Amino acid sequence: MKELKTYRGHIRNWKELCAVLGIDTSLSREKREEEIILKGCEKWGENIADHLYGMFAFAVWDTDEKKLFCVRDHFGTKPFYYYETKDGELLYGTFIRDITEKKEFVKEINRDMLQIYMTLTYVAGEDTFFKGLKKLMPGCHLTWQNGKISIVRYWKPEFKPDNSKSLEDWADEIHTTVKQMIDEVKTPDETAESFLSGGVDSSYVFAVSDAEMSDSCGYDDERFDESFLAKKTADMLGRKNSRCLITPEQYFEAVPYVMYNMEQPLGDASAIVFAIACKATAEHTKLCYSGEGADEFFGGYNMYRNAERYGENLKTFYVGNTNIMKEEEKQKILKHYDPSVLPINLVKHIYEETEGLDPLSKMSDVDIQIWLEGDIYLNVDKMSTCCGLEIRMPLTDRRVFDIASRLPSKFKVNEEQNKVAFRTAAAKVLPDEIAFRKKLGFIVPIRIWLADDRYNSDVRAKFNSDYAAEFFNTDEINAIFEDYKNGNSDNWRKVWTIYTFLVWYEEYFIKR
């Protein structure tokens, strides 16, 4: 007999699975998905994930074999954590607090992770900031039996460019598949809204969906506010737009809330904005679409246009979308520095797997396996869940990635544009001025606010705290802060990354 011990997610192809597994489609979603997982495990065993589309992380206990089977989805949209106790038991869950609140858990800081964090601004790889507590990585399943853990990687991104099709052929395939995703991503009795930034990804999702309301965020300072672009897109589509305008006071006040609910520090400044937007959106809907995945799959970042120039040098330095601090600087500011703990070690296996591929495919693969899991999907999952909002990402799907994996790099980026084929597909339902709008990124005025003494008092306090001195040479980090305040605006990311770690540490090791 099998028991579902924990599960979070949304299974998209439930109709097909119910037919194959003999499950009553009139069951509630909760019961239906439980039946799919349990009967799927009976039928397909450890291969169950091959048959599931959507977001999922779950653990199933086999009472007869005394065996625990845990799965995390292909891209890591839902997290899964585990920890072996000194008595040989396994603690596990889809939240870190599922584990850390157990009496068998021994809470210790993993200092090595701080070295990684200071470069990447997020927690990458299988380790966490809690010593011994690990992430089950995307595309992996774990078996625990007789006190022994076995982990199998059941899926990984693979790129096989197909040069036989035209740009229009690729755009047609993308558009057909995106429409299929939208049809699957919710049931007719559910009502969803859609996050909208004004960029092509969220605009495309909104345009092909049945959502009538879009949700955007901006700033009460018009110098930084671009939410009018989202309003303009919604107006063009004849639909509604709800805007949340964020003040600096709101932003800084939210930081402890975000770091606590993120469960790990995250130095992505947009995470605070996203958390505030989720809370505002949850006031009038419980289901929302979002456009994550397209940038990494289809060549959406401007730096991807440098891929050919980087060439073989990529594997010596490219560790993903962010890289804010060199090793020499970390040696100066960290009290404990281990020269063997290097971010590049996290991606060596990816470069081995992509040997022979073009540089853009290598960069995309690193970002799909490291950046998406460690930053983007973590943020989406944690910040939506803590305020009771469910987010579904139509573009994050193996069938969408399958197209991207076959799409030649020339249809991803060129000298003038990124996401070329994806934008061409989006232009089937969007005006060209939206479909081909230059990528703006998610603007956060933190680089201005952080220098303002009206808002940075807690940053100063944290930088001079006793617990900051446990990890950092405080003279050095304060020098970085002063250099930033005196005009070196490039240092804002370093200041913010140190600050978010200290806020998180206070939440988990000082307050609790």
Side-chain angles (χ1 to χ4, degrees), residues 298-332:
F298 291 101
Y301 296 114
N302 292 328
M303 64 184 173
Y304 288 162
R305 286 149 72 183
N306 296 321
E308 289 302 322
R309 182 163 61 83
Y310 296 146
E312 282 301 307
N313 286 332
L314 270 175
K315 62 186 177 185
T316 67
F317 74 90
Y318 190 73
V319 291
N321 210 287
T322 54
N323 188 337
I324 69 162
M325 197 175 288
K326 294 186 175 5
E327 295 306 308
E328 310 87 76
E329 190 168 11
K330 289 191 287 186
Q331 277 184 279
K332 282 174 63 179

Side-chain angles (χ1 to χ4, degrees), residues 113-122 129 265-267 497 500:
M113 183 51 68
L114 186 56
Q115 280 182 228
I116 302 297
Y117 185 71
M118 292 305 298
T119 293
L120 299 183
T121 76
Y122 59 92
F129 264 105
L266 181 60
T497 300
T500 49

Side-chain angles (χ1 to χ4, degrees), residues 79-114:
F80 193 91
Y81 307 98
Y82 64 96
Y83 174 86
E84 290 184 272
T85 71
K86 62 181 180 181
D87 296 325
E89 292 301 307
L90 190 72
L91 307 180
Y92 60 90
T94 62
F95 292 99
I96 285 177
R97 290 194 298 273
D98 290 343
I99 297 170
T100 59
E101 291 174 358
K102 298 277 177 60
K103 66 179 186 300
E104 299 91 345
F105 178 77
V106 179
K107 187 164 71 171
E108 295 179 79
I109 189 77
N110 176 11
R111 288 180 179 270
D112 287 349
M113 183 51 68
L114 186 56

Side-chain angles (χ1 to χ4, degrees), residues 168-185:
E168 196 56 43
D169 289 337
W170 286 112
D172 286 342
E173 186 174 359
I174 291 168
H175 189 55
T176 299
T177 306
V178 169
K179 288 192 295 182
Q180 180 189 349
M181 298 302 98
I182 291 292
D183 287 342
E184 286 187 8
V185 84

Side-chain angles (χ1 to χ4, degrees), residues 24 28 37 41 49 85 90 135 173 178 183 190 211 230 253 260 265 280 344 351 357 368 381 423 431 485 503:
D24 182 357
S28 68
I37 292 168
C41 283
T85 71
L90 190 72
K135 295 185 276 183
E173 186 174 359
V178 169
D183 287 342
E190 293 177 313
E253 186 180 299
Y260 175 72
I344 198 69
Y351 286 112
L357 290 177
I368 289 167
D381 176 69
R423 291 177 185 277
K485 282 203 69 185
V503 173

